[in-house]
Amino acid sequence: MKGCVIRPLLDAPALRKNPLGDLSTRELLIYVPPGYEEREALLPTAYFLHGYAGSALQWLNVSAFCPNVVERVDFLISSGQLPECLCIFIDGWTALGGGQWLNSVAQGNYLNYVTQDVVDFVEKNFRVHRSPSMRALFGKSSGGYAAWVVACHCPEVFGHIAAHSADAGFEYCYLGDLPKAAEPLRQSGGALPWFEEFKQRAWATKMSSTDFAVVNILAMAASYSPCLGMPLNLELPMDFNTGAMRWDIWQRWIEKDPTRFVPLKTEPLKKLKSIFFDCGTRDEFHLIWGARQLAHVLKEQGVPHHFEEFSDGHMGINYRFETSLRYILPRMQAS
């Protein structure tokens, strides 16, 4: 690489004393473009949010023949194809494998962590612009979901968002996993005993083929239907003994679906400088339908945006960040 990656530690006030006991001190990965130390110019910033079951370190994953996102950024900037920026890769791992980057009594205040703690740390320690028009937020999957949340509820922080294959259209992407989670939970006697067994099993050997659907539903419930005092401080949208839907809990999930809250927040979205989002037409979690609904709403409401469909699934699509970076970074320079 022509640039470099530094790994400072941030003790995030928003994550202190979180209910899962996760560390509040997190390592940030920060890509610094070549020549940064020799120049006094302020840089725009691009913040990246990973998907569920990820961490900041996943952005450095080595894959045969394919560059990771940091390597793609470095090539585009060092070759002059994109303007320089500082790239910040944020860690959102939790004991449940992550979440949706929301404030939750079941997990911690991850929305505040991103929009307050991380941004404040970066702007106090690096030569960067402090204007929303010079900050961009990129996310994939759960990170893409968070990009929509931040855009709608904190439009004063980031002037540009890119949401890749974001969780949206909850009936399509979550309902199918509820029965997959119900039977293991029934056999274990509930969320807490299942989770304790799961941790021991995963540590001793590895996750089983049925584990992901269960822990994913628990993490989503911790994000969408937290409830202090319940096992794991969450409520599930189904009765795991009978499989019956708990429609009052499911309604709490639905209210946090971008296809529901984005139509109510189009005025804040109109304040953004850039909205980019995409989804694969073969997405395994059927997220293309939520993306299409969002594109329709934004068009109907006159919200400027750029939406793309591409022929691929949900996994192994880091190359799509090149498309969003090419769209957003030049627009930051012009802001």
Side-chain angles (χ1 to χ4, degrees):
M1 291 204 317
K2 300 295 179 63
C4 67
V5 173
I6 60 175
R7 299 165 64 167
L9 292 176
L10 162 63
D11 184 15
L15 301 186
R16 292 174 189 162
K17 298 181 180 180
N18 66 79
L20 289 174
D22 293 316
L23 294 175
S24 63
T25 299
R26 299 296 178 100
E27 184 177 59
L28 297 175
L29 298 185
I30 300 182
Y31 168 79
V32 179
Y36 169 80
E37 296 298 338
E38 288 74 45
R39 293 192 294 276
E40 294 297 325
L42 300 179
L43 293 178
T45 47
Y47 294 78
F48 292 77
L49 304 180
H50 58 73
Y52 175 70
S55 71
L57 290 176
Q58 81 170 55
W59 299 101
L60 297 177
N61 284 352
V62 175
S63 179
F65 307 112
C66 298
N68 59 39
V69 173
V70 178
E71 292 168 334
R72 291 179 188 277
V73 168
D74 181 68
F75 173 76
L76 292 171
I77 291 177
S78 61
S79 64
Q81 296 184 50
L82 286 179
E84 292 183 339
C85 71
L86 200 77
C87 297
I88 303 94
F89 300 88
I90 307 173
D91 181 60
W93 173 261
T94 76
L96 288 172
Q100 301 299 81
W101 304 88
L102 300 175
N103 292 339
S104 163
V105 296
Q107 291 185 306
N109 294 323
Y110 283 84
L111 181 62
N112 292 351
Y113 163 56
V114 172
T115 60
Q116 299 174 20
D117 298 347
V118 175
V119 171
D120 184 61
F121 176 85
V122 170
E123 296 187 350
K124 284 181 177 177
N125 290 281
F126 295 88
R127 295 191 306 276
V128 297
H129 290 280
R130 298 193 174 198
S131 167
S133 66
M134 300 299 272
R135 301 187 198 114
L137 183 64
F138 297 76
K140 191 255 178 173
S141 195
S142 291
Y145 169 87
W148 284 116
V149 172
V150 172
C152 289
H153 298 286
C154 309
E156 72 284 356
V157 180
F158 296 96
H160 312 260
I161 68 156
H164 293 281
S165 303
D167 292 16
F170 285 6
E171 293 91 342
Y172 289 118
C173 65
Y174 294 139
L175 279 179
D177 275 348
L178 295 183
K180 296 177 185 177
E183 181 59 19
L185 291 172
R186 186 190 68 82
Q187 292 181 9
S188 296
L192 185 57
W194 180 89
F195 184 59
E196 294 301 327
E197 294 169 7
F198 163 72
K199 288 192 295 183
Q200 296 176 18
R201 182 172 63 255
W203 180 268
T205 56
K206 62 180 182 180
M207 293 175 62
S208 75
S209 59
T210 61
D211 285 338
F212 183 82
V214 188
V215 72
N216 179 60
I217 288 298
L218 294 181
M220 296 306 107
S223 297
Y224 303 140
S225 52
C227 185
L228 202 60
M230 295 294 288
L232 293 178
N233 292 313
L234 58 85
E235 292 185 295
L236 294 165
M238 80 293 191
D239 183 319
F240 59 79
N241 284 308
T242 66
M245 287 294 295
R246 299 179 63 193
W247 295 112
D248 57 330
I249 307 302
W250 178 247
Q251 181 60 35
R252 294 173 62 190
W253 285 44
I254 288 296
E255 290 170 357
K256 294 183 175 67
D257 184 343
T259 65
R260 269 55 172 215
F261 68 73
V262 165
L264 305 177
K265 294 287 185 176
T266 54
E267 289 308 310
L269 291 177
K270 291 177 182 178
K271 298 177 182 179
L272 301 187
K273 301 292 184 180
S274 308
I275 298 174
F276 175 99
F277 62 109
D278 66 6
C279 194
T281 56
R282 293 182 279 115
D283 189 280
E284 295 85 345
F285 302 101
H286 315 295
L287 298 174
I288 186 61
W289 297 106
R292 286 170 176 165
Q293 291 175 49
L294 290 170
H296 176 76
V297 166
L298 296 186
K299 182 179 179 179
E300 289 289 306
Q301 296 295 323
V303 179
H305 66 281
H306 183 81
F307 171 59
E308 292 187 10
E309 298 184 9
F310 58 94
S311 181
D312 207 338
H314 193 76
M315 312 300 179
I317 57 171
N318 280 342
Y319 63 89
R320 291 297 303 173
F321 282 97
E322 288 198 22
T323 305
S324 58
L325 285 162
R326 289 181 186 276
Y327 181 78
I328 286 179
L329 289 192
R331 296 169 66 86
M332 294 173 73
Q333 296 295 318
S335 298

